[in-house]
């Protein structure tokens, strides 16, 4: 098993299992050092809980709220020659730490879009937990099998109406490359909504409700990104934004559908983080490395675990109620969208180009790069890589 970091472009070919475990441990310790969640859910299902915002949600609710957690994720186990994916090792690490803490933690590896997976999860809930009090929807993927079994929807990362050129940062070879996204056609917009919109979230809630495994007062949350005018053409104004608009509308549909069990459904608008999904988005990489620098300088840079714990503690499980904007969205992107921050970020981005993007004076590429390494278990403090 090769444990030397191998990256192609922005894809980590391998991971470092001990590094992944240590990263999970550090996030758990961080959450444990913060205020615990009052009225936290007892039993939680996380869809997409092996990495990024989903893993952070699981850590927050388990270690900041003593919740039992089930997680459905699509990850590859190790073989004799390969390490498997970081998410696979994150799951193993989380399970070990949760069990040590006396919590139930179960992982289902496979396709969250399949009927078989839904049945398996429902059976497990019935046999082990009875009901769940919370469902976190945090899948990020480019494909979704069609429900009739005939082919797949493939999402498109594209602009709408006009082409968009943004910088894509490759880690190996290290380079900043301008990439132009063509405007999407209607089929591509439709397919992206199918993959990353709210339909699958709604289906999960409906089958779980029909199976009578949702507890009274059940809550569900999914994650969105809106960003600012800098990221608008590639994100909220592009195909992904159309999918997120659908997700936002789905929260309202679900909120009504859950009213008979006093349930609630929300979307939280999160800050931009370095994740295995976000590093693919042209234009977003330069934006994130400038954002990291500015938020760090202001002392407002949150790790993924800290960000998610704030969402759970201050918003979703706030004893005084869930505060939202006028569109019923939880706005946890407030530090990022502060006009003063955006102004500085815009100034930095204006000066970033392929020959200077690593310069610490105009952005924080080093942290951006290191965070990518760390989500794959490399460059983690406390691990002896020799
Ligand atoms: P991630 O790539 O770190 O995690 C995605 C998760 O989905 C993993 O657990 C993966 O195993 C799981 N998954 C993917 N396909 C699956 C399938 N077919 N069956 C079962 N599990 C599957 O992604 P990240 O960045 O944490 O994104 C999660 C959500 O948060 C997405 O909706 C994303 O749009 C949203 N978001 C992300 C932001 C960012 O900056 N990364 C900012 C705001 C929202």
């Amino acid at each position: 098993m090769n444990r030397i970091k191998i990256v192609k472009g922005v894809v980590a070919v391998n991971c470092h299992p001990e590094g992944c475990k240590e990263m999970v441990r550090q996030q758990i310790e961080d959450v444990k050092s913060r205020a615990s969640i009052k009225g936290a859910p007892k039993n939680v299902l996380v869809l997409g809980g092996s990495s990024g915002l989903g893993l952070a949600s699981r850590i927050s609710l388990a270690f900041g709220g003593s919740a039992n957690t089930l997680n459905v994720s699509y990850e590859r186990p190790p073989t004799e020659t390969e390490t498997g994916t970081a998410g696979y090792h994150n799951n193993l690490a989380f399970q070990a730490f949760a069990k040590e803490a006396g919590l139930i933690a179960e992982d289902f590896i496979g396709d969250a879009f399949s009927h078989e997976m839904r049945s398996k999860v429902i059976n497990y809930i019935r046999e082990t937990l009875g009901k769940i009090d919370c469902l976190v929807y945090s899948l990020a993927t480019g494909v979704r099998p069609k429900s009739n079994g005939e082919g797949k929807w493939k999402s498109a990362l594209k602009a709408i109406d006009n082409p968009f050129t943004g910088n894509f940062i490759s880690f190996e070879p290290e380079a900043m490359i301008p990439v132009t996204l063509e405007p999407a056609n209607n089929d591509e917009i439709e397919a992206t909504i199918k993959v990353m919109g709210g339909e699958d979230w709604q289906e999960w809630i409906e089958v779980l409700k029909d199976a009578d495994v949702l507890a009274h007062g059940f809550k569900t949350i999914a994650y969105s990104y809106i960003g600012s005018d800098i990221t608008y053409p590639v994100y909220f104004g592009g195909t992904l934004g159309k999918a997120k608009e659908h997700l936002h509308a789905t929260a309202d549909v679900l909120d009504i559908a859950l009213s008979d069990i006093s349930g609630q459904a929300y979307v939280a608008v999160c800050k931009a983080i370095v994740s295995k999904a976000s590093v693919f988005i042209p234009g977003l990489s330069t934006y994130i490395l400038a954002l990291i620098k500015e938020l760090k300088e202001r002392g407002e840079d949150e790790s993924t675990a800290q960000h998610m714990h704030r969402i759970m503690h201050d918003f979703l499980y706030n004893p005084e109620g869930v505060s939202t904007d006028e569109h019923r969205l939880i706005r946890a992107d407030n530090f990022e969208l502060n006009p003063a921050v955006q102004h500085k970020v815009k100034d930095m981005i204006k000066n970033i180009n392929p020959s200077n993007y690593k310069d610490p004076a105009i952005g924080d590429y080093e942290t951006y790069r290191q965070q990518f390494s760390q989500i794959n278990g490399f460059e983690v403090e406390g691990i002896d890589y020799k």
Side-chain angles (χ1 to χ4, degrees), residues 10 50-51 74-75 85 87 140 274-280 372 375-376:
V10 291
S50 60
S51 62
Y74 199 85
E75 301 294 346
T85 53
V274 180
S275 77
K276 67 179 191 220
S278 68
V279 291
F280 276 95
F372 174 77
I375 57 178
N376 297 299

Side-chain angles (χ1 to χ4, degrees), residues 48-54 72-75 110-113 138-141 196 223-225 235 244 270-273 275-278:
S50 60
S51 62
L53 296 171
V72 180
S73 55
Y74 199 85
E75 301 294 346
D111 189 2
F113 296 117
S138 190
L139 299 181
T141 176
M196 288 297 285
Y223 302 130
S224 180
Y225 183 71
Y235 202 99
K244 291 305 183 192
C270 302
K271 71 171 211 158
I273 61 154
S275 77
K276 67 179 191 220
S278 68

Side-chain angles (χ1 to χ4, degrees), residues 8-315:
K8 287 188 181 155
V10 291
V11 177
V13 177
N14 63 344
C15 70
H16 195 283
E18 290 83 3
C20 292
K21 183 171 185 182
E22 177 58 17
M23 277 300 285
V24 171
R25 193 193 67 76
Q26 288 179 13
Q27 291 177 75
I28 290 173
E29 289 311 314
D30 190 353
V31 163
K32 277 165 65 178
S33 72
R34 289 164 196 275
S36 57
I37 303 165
K38 294 192 186 72
K42 276 205 294 287
N43 300 318
V44 177
L45 170 60
V46 184
L47 302 176
S50 60
S51 62
L53 296 171
L55 173 62
S57 310
R58 192 181 193 193
I59 290 175
S60 168
L61 293 170
F63 291 92
S66 305
N68 298 315
T69 55
L70 314 181
N71 157 43
V72 180
S73 55
Y74 199 85
E75 301 294 346
R76 222 177 41 247
T79 63
E80 271 186 20
T81 51
E82 289 177 0
T83 58
T85 53
Y88 185 87
H89 295 284
N90 291 341
N91 287 347
L92 288 185
F94 180 90
Q95 253 205 42
F97 291 125
K99 286 183 177 161
E100 232 173 74
L103 301 169
I104 296 174
E106 189 64 30
D107 292 296
F108 298 86
I109 304 292
D111 189 2
F113 296 117
S114 72
H115 298 299
E116 296 73 32
M117 182 57 84
R118 289 175 188 162
S119 305
K120 249 205 258 184
V121 170
I122 288 170
N123 288 340
Y124 184 90
I125 296 172
R126 281 195 177 128
E127 282 162 19
T128 315
L129 305 171
K131 298 201 181 206
I132 56 168
D133 315 277
C134 176
L135 182 146
V136 173
Y137 190 87
S138 190
L139 299 181
T141 176
V143 287
R144 173 182 170 204
K146 293 188 176 169
S147 355
N148 60 9
E150 288 170 13
K152 290 177 175 176
W153 285 294
K154 285 195 181 138
S155 66
L157 178 52
K158 289 200 168 180
I160 293 179
D161 295 335
N162 298 304
F164 167 78
T165 301
N167 286 310
F168 168 81
I169 295 185
S170 161
F171 297 109
E172 196 51 60
E174 260 190 316
M176 173 181 273
I177 308 150
V179 174
T180 299
L181 302 180
E182 293 307 322
N185 62 36
N186 285 341
D187 288 349
E188 289 168 325
I189 296 173
E190 191 51 34
T192 310
I193 294 173
K194 285 284 182 191
V195 178
M196 288 297 285
E199 194 174 76
D200 180 61
W201 183 26
Q202 183 168 349
E203 284 180 13
W204 266 97
I205 298 294
E206 282 169 358
V207 294
L208 292 168
K209 190 161 183 276
D210 286 349
D212 195 24
V213 293
L214 303 184
H216 187 83
F218 168 84
K219 286 185 181 180
T220 184
I221 189 165
Y223 302 130
S224 180
Y225 183 71
I226 291 180
S228 67
D229 58 326
I230 307 174
T231 55
Y232 184 83
V234 68
Y235 202 99
F236 207 67
T239 46
L240 286 174
K242 292 289 170 215
K244 291 305 183 192
E245 279 175 6
H246 186 271
L247 191 78
H248 301 177
T250 304
D252 295 338
V253 172
L254 292 179
D255 201 64
I256 294 167
L258 290 167
S259 57
D260 60 333
I261 55 166
S262 295
Q264 291 174 301
Y266 291 99
V267 163
V269 184
C270 302
K271 71 171 211 158
I273 61 154
V274 180
S275 77
K276 67 179 191 220
S278 68
V279 291
F280 276 95
I281 306 175
L284 203 65
S285 22
T286 30
Y287 173 79
I288 295 181
L289 64 86
L291 181 69
I292 292 172
K293 181 174 164 68
E294 180 56 21
L295 289 179
K296 264 189 174 177
E297 279 177 14
R298 301 171 73 93
E300 292 173 351
D301 189 43
E302 295 171 304
S303 69
T304 306
Q306 289 163 358
H307 184 59
M308 198 40 71
H309 193 58
R310 181 162 68 91
I311 291 176
M312 296 302 172
H313 181 275
D314 293 6
F315 291 94

Side-chain angles (χ1 to χ4, degrees), residues 311-324:
I311 291 176
M312 296 302 172
H313 181 275
D314 293 6
F315 291 94
L316 194 64
Y317 289 99
N318 187 329
E320 285 164 24
V322 184
S323 76
T324 64

